[in-house]
């Protein structure tokens, strides 16, 4: 039997790709790869923008929380409800900026040529031009009860829980009807409890002008540490503008603490009660407040920015009624809040 013609045809073999086929395959692969890269870059950019704006939002909330806490409690004097001018003080230089507790709220407004009123020596060279400063003063928390025999010459007797009050702290003692302010110069445990001495010993700042309160305190009296907090915009450790707080510590020192980085500006407006109804009639700059004792609320505006240049173009934003085009590609966010001072006006 003769083989068929089909059986005599040799099997065809794959000999490879032609140059044209290879170039078509490479072109298609490059197009697909370019699409993948574009998707990756777009996702990465979106992630960076989302992360940066989330960080700004978080920083803004932290900044507002810090300011809210201290401004709300400005002028807090425990159970004492008398006139602050009637409070006895045995401190040297009782009206010094760092511990002048007759002024619960104080502000310094940037006017274009400087601050009004002028900044104290403690803040000289620390505050960035164009920004405002706000100061709050008051007790640092709930009082600690005095124990028998309550007061004795240049000392007060308290429960051992008062060991949180350190030598050099400025304290106020009150029985709700009267109050006295002095500086702790010694502290020790004795048979009555914890003994806080406020003598006229030297070596302390501000120190006490006299070792003894003229007011006498008995059962129901309390003691608490006084504090001063100063908020301002300065240059942070990274070289960027940042929100700072200076707080009074032992020895009459205002210690600086950097709170939030990349805070470019802070503008402060004071709600002044002009008709004694406990509600602000107007909000004005610090240098236009007729009487700081009538300030019942504070309006704060903060300008924050992202850490890096992540916007595709310079951002234009309106802050403090002024339209500004940024000199970089950072994203800017504005945070506004109005804070009621709990110890003034209507609750």
């Amino acid at each position: 039997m003769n083989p068929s013609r089909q059986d005599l045809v040799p099997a065809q073999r794959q000999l490879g790709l032609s140059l044209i086929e290879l170039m078509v395959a490479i072109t298609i692969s490059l197009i697909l790869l370019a699409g993948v890269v574009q998707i990756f870059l777009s996702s990465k950019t979106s992630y960076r923008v989302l992360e940066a704006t989330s960080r700004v939002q978080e920083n803004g909330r932290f900044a507002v929380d810090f300011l809210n806490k201290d401004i709300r409690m400005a002028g807090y004097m425990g159970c004492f409800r008398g006139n602050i001018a009637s409070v006895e003080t045995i401190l040297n230089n009782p009206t010094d900026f760092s511990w002048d507790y007759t002024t619960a709220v104080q502000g310094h407004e940037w006017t274009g040529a400087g601050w009004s009123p002028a900044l104290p020596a403690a803040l000289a060279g620390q505050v960035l031009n164009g920004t405002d400063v706000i100061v709050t003063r008051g007790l640092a928390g709930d009082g600690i009860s005095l124990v028998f025999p309550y007061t004795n010459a240049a000392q007060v007797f308290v429960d051992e829980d008062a060991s949180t009050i350190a030598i050099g702290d400025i304290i106020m003692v009150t029985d709700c009807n009267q109050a006295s302010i002095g500086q702790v110069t010694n502290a020790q445990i004795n048979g009555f409890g914890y003994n806080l001495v406020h003598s006229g010993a030297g070596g302390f700042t501000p120190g006490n002008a006299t070792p003894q309160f003229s007011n006498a305190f008995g059962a129901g009296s309390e003691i608490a540490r006084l504090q001063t907090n100063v908020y301002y915009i300065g240059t942070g450790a990274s070289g960027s503008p940042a929100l700072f707080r200076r707080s009074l510590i032992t020895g009459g020192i205002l210690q600086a603490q950097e709170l939030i980085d990349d805070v470019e500006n802070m503008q402060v407006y004071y709600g002044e009660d002009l008709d004694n109804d406990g509600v602000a009639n107007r909000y004005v700059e610090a240098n236009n407040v007729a009487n700081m004792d009538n300030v019942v609320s504070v309006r704060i505006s903060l300008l924050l920015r992202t850490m890096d240049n992540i916007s595709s173009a310079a951002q234009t934003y309106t802050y403090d009624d002024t339209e500004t085009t940024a000199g970089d590609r950072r994203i800017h966010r504005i945070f506004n809040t109005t804070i009621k001072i709990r110890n003034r006006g209507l609750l």
Side-chain angles (χ1 to χ4, degrees), residues 187-310:
Q188 57 190 5
I189 299 291
N190 62 21
F192 298 107
Y194 202 67
N195 179 17
L196 300 177
V197 179
H198 47 82
S199 70
F204 291 90
T205 301
N208 298 311
T210 179
Q212 190 169 355
F213 296 140
S214 60
N215 292 326
F217 299 95
S221 300
E222 296 181 338
I223 184 174
R225 180 173 58 86
L226 284 155
Q227 66 177 0
T228 297
N229 290 307
V230 185
Y231 285 91
Y232 63 95
I233 306 299
T235 301
S238 67
S240 298
L243 177 66
F244 280 82
R245 178 176 64 186
R246 281 183 177 263
S247 299
L248 184 67
I249 61 172
T250 57
I253 299 171
L254 285 175
Q255 186 177 66
Q257 179 186 13
E258 182 179 342
L259 299 178
I260 308 292
D261 202 15
D262 287 308
V263 182
E264 284 193 354
N265 205 336
M266 178 174 69
Q267 295 296 311
V268 185
Y269 295 87
Y270 299 83
E272 191 173 11
D273 176 15
L274 301 176
D275 53 12
N276 200 32
D277 66 350
V279 179
N281 299 101
R282 64 175 188 170
Y283 284 88
V284 294
E285 298 89 348
N287 57 326
N288 290 322
V289 175
N291 186 351
M292 278 290 179
D293 290 341
N294 294 332
V295 172
V296 295
S297 55
V298 177
R299 185 170 292 165
I300 303 281
S301 182
L302 297 169
L303 176 64
L304 282 77
R305 71 186 190 189
T306 57
M307 182 184 302
D308 302 314
N309 294 306
I310 60 173

Side-chain angles (χ1 to χ4, degrees), residues 111-128:
T111 64
W115 286 270
S116 179
L119 294 178
L123 297 179
Q126 304 299 313
V127 185
L128 294 183

Side-chain angles (χ1 to χ4, degrees), residues 41-110:
L41 292 177
S42 178
S43 299
K44 182 178 180 181
T45 300
S46 298
Y47 172 77
R48 289 183 63 216
V49 171
L50 180 60
E51 181 185 39
T53 53
S54 297
R55 186 180 297 274
V56 170
Q57 289 291 126
E58 184 180 67
N59 286 346
R61 286 195 297 269
F62 276 131
V64 168
D65 284 346
F66 278 120
L67 288 160
N68 261 289
K69 179 181 177 181
D70 287 332
I71 293 175
R72 279 201 310 263
M73 298 305 293
Y76 175 62
M77 289 293 166
C79 68
F80 180 71
R81 292 296 181 268
N83 190 328
I84 190 65
S86 69
V87 175
E88 174 195 22
T89 176
I90 62 173
L91 296 175
N92 291 312
N93 305 318
T95 59
D96 185 273
F97 173 84
S98 298
W99 50 80
D100 180 12
Y101 296 103
T102 60
T103 307
V105 179
Q106 183 174 338
H108 298 268
E109 172 71 18
W110 173 259

